[in-house]
Amino acid sequence: MDTDAARPRWRFNAAHRLTPRLSVGLEFNPAVSEVNPIANWIAHTEMGNIPMISFGTSSDRIFSPKGSQATYVTFAKGFPGTGLAPYVSISYSEFENRILLPFGVNVALNERIDLLPMNDGRRTHLLLTYKAEKANLTLMAIDLKRPRFGVSVGWGF
């Protein structure tokens, strides 16, 4: 990512899905020699009017310093036929030692392209993702007040 902050400049994640609802892994931020645990557990899948509920942990917000972790619960609900899937989280930030309320809405532009305007509890970001069968490419505009740009590449095997 194009930023003066060292931590988010380069970031590598590796995760393994232990069960259909539980994934665990590591995040490596080489510019600050940091390795953090990441995990996500889907406690409840989306059904009818009930949202998906997940619990997780990862490094704190994009511009937080080395060593800070976030723990969160997320509620997400898709609306069939609209391409819209909003979410809201309750996140504890170790860096700020407080609760933050991230939120956003995934907008399916078509079968392969999603737009995600989001707020991490402090800053607003915009992500545009192209999805292939076993890979994705995301263009990022981070902190829309002072935009920084980045690219994320992901793949599964």
Side-chain angles (χ1 to χ4, degrees):
M1 180 169 38
D2 167 34
T3 178
D4 295 331
R7 187 181 199 210
R9 195 169 301 134
W10 295 97
R11 183 166 287 169
F12 301 92
N13 290 300
H16 179 68
R17 189 174 302 278
L18 297 175
T19 73
R21 293 187 183 192
L22 176 64
S23 65
V24 296
L26 295 173
E27 174 184 293
F28 175 48
N29 299 302
V32 292
S33 300
E34 175 185 47
V35 177
N36 287 330
I38 56 175
N40 194 288
W41 173 54
I42 299 172
H44 190 280
T45 58
E46 181 179 342
M47 287 192 290
N49 291 329
I50 301 171
M52 181 274 306
I53 303 169
S54 69
F55 295 86
T57 187
S58 67
S59 64
D60 214 329
R61 296 177 312 102
I62 290 172
F63 295 103
S64 60
K66 176 180 177 178
S68 55
Q69 193 79 0
T71 305
Y72 50 84
V73 58
T74 300
F75 304 88
K77 178 76 177 93
F79 294 96
T82 68
L84 301 176
Y87 74 90
V88 65
S89 292
I90 301 168
S91 176
Y92 175 73
S93 165
E94 282 184 357
F95 167 53
E96 295 189 63
N97 193 29
R98 65 180 291 173
I99 300 291
L100 298 173
L101 299 172
F103 61 91
V105 60
N106 194 75
V107 181
L109 300 177
N110 62 41
E111 190 175 292
R112 296 218 180 256
I113 300 175
D114 290 347
L115 180 67
L116 177 62
M118 62 177 292
N119 183 286
D120 66 11
R122 290 282 184 237
R123 299 177 189 205
T124 301
H125 315 297
L126 188 61
L127 288 70
L128 181 68
T129 300
Y130 172 80
K131 302 175 290 186
E133 186 175 332
K134 291 194 175 196
N136 61 54
L137 173 68
T138 301
L139 305 176
M140 304 179 294
I142 304 301
D143 189 6
L144 295 182
K145 284 186 180 178
R146 293 176 300 273
R148 301 292 188 153
F149 300 97
V151 175
S152 173
V153 177
W155 66 90
F157 43 109

